[in-house]
Amino acid sequence: MTLSGFLQLGASTVIFLLAAAGAKSWALAPSIPKLLLTLALYSLGNLIMLRLVREFGMASAFSLSAVIQLVAVNVIALAFFGERLNGLQSGGIVLAIVAVGLITLGPALSGR
């Protein structure tokens, strides 16, 4: 991964996290400005993802983004919004992280 790609991935992750926090905020107290901000943030994050897809391919770009967002969104949901997961949900998140890791690293580990 190039430095440019790493920075773009970081930027899209931060933007998607802000968008997710905006979506949660909107869900708690709906308003048009919150909705518009959330939509704008998701749109900006997706525009950055389009650049990453061009640079790294769809599978790698979206898989990396998905696992980073999965972890980060859950940290925000648990730490800042006080959400709780039961054992089954926690196990599902762990399995999702492992699955995305295998999808992303699979070709490199198998020599392809």
Side-chain angles (χ1 to χ4, degrees):
M1 177 174 279
T2 64
L3 177 60
S4 171
F6 180 76
L7 292 174
Q8 289 175 53
L9 182 61
S12 72
T13 299
V14 169
I15 291 167
F16 281 130
L17 292 176
L18 291 171
K24 178 66 174 187
S25 177
W26 176 85
L28 295 173
S31 72
I32 296 297
K34 287 180 186 178
L35 178 63
L36 293 175
L37 177 61
T38 301
L39 291 172
L41 288 168
Y42 275 123
S43 296
L44 179 59
N46 281 312
L47 288 171
I48 295 171
M49 286 304 300
L50 289 174
R51 291 181 55 101
L52 289 169
V53 167
R54 183 182 302 157
E55 187 171 342
F56 300 113
M58 190 168 94
S60 293
F62 282 109
S63 294
L64 284 171
S65 179
V67 76
I68 292 169
Q69 287 182 54
L70 175 66
V71 171
V73 165
N74 278 287
V75 167
I76 288 173
L78 298 171
F80 295 105
F81 291 108
E83 295 184 9
R84 297 288 170 244
L85 300 173
N86 63 35
L88 191 59
Q89 291 170 317
S90 297
I93 290 170
V94 169
L95 289 174
I97 292 168
V98 170
V100 172
L102 290 173
I103 291 166
T104 304
L105 298 174
L109 295 175
S110 66
R112 292 184 193 175

